[in-house]
């Protein structure tokens, strides 16, 4: 398992559109992904879990990946978060 802590840079937070983009991209990987936000761990491949977490702008988030393609998955996940999802 590998992980990295980052921060949500999208001023609108991790709302529906970015959550959908994120889950769609993460589904391409065989590894598992967990997002830890404010002490709670959520499934990074579940749009409902991400939406229910209500992740806002400037929130610190730890992305953890475990599996055969964990490195690539972690790089992509962090890259997407850092990009602000194009907003």
């Amino acid at each position: 398992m590998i992980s990295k802590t980052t921060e949500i840079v999208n001023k609108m937070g991790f709302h529906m559109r970015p959550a959908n983009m994120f889950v769609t991209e993460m589904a391409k990987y065989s590894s598992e992904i967990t997002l830890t936000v404010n002490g709670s761990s959520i499934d990074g491949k579940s749009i409902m879990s991400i939406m229910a977490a209500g992740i806002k702008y400037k929130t610190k988030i730890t992305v953890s990946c475990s599996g055969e393609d964990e490195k690539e998955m972690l790089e992509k996940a962090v890259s997407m978060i850092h990009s602000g999802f194009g907003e």
Side-chain angles (χ1 to χ4, degrees), residues 46-65:
S46 167
I47 194 166
M48 295 306 291
S49 295
I50 293 171
M51 294 304 303
I55 308 168
K56 305 208 180 297
Y57 175 62
K58 294 273 187 185
T59 299
K60 296 271 190 229
I61 182 171
T62 300
V63 181
S64 303
C65 299

Side-chain angles (χ1 to χ4, degrees), residues 33-50:
I33 182 167
T34 303
L35 308 177
T36 305
V37 183
N38 300 323
S40 296
S41 294
I42 58 173
D43 180 357
K45 290 186 177 181
S46 167
I47 194 166
M48 295 306 291
S49 295
I50 293 171

Side-chain angles (χ1 to χ4, degrees), residues 21-42:
M21 290 172 59
F22 188 82
V23 168
T24 300
E25 193 63 32
M26 294 305 103
K28 296 176 182 176
Y29 297 90
S30 63
S31 295
E32 294 181 19
I33 182 167
T34 303
L35 308 177
T36 305
V37 183
N38 300 323
S40 296
S41 294
I42 58 173

Side-chain angles (χ1 to χ4, degrees), residues 1-4 26 29-34 45 63-78:
M1 177 187 286
I2 58 174
S3 62
K4 183 168 186 171
M26 294 305 103
Y29 297 90
S30 63
S31 295
E32 294 181 19
I33 182 167
T34 303
K45 290 186 177 181
V63 181
S64 303
C65 299
S66 178
E68 63 184 47
D69 54 359
E70 63 188 22
K71 185 177 180 199
E72 296 84 4
M73 184 184 221
L74 181 65
E75 288 174 5
K76 183 62 176 182
V78 171

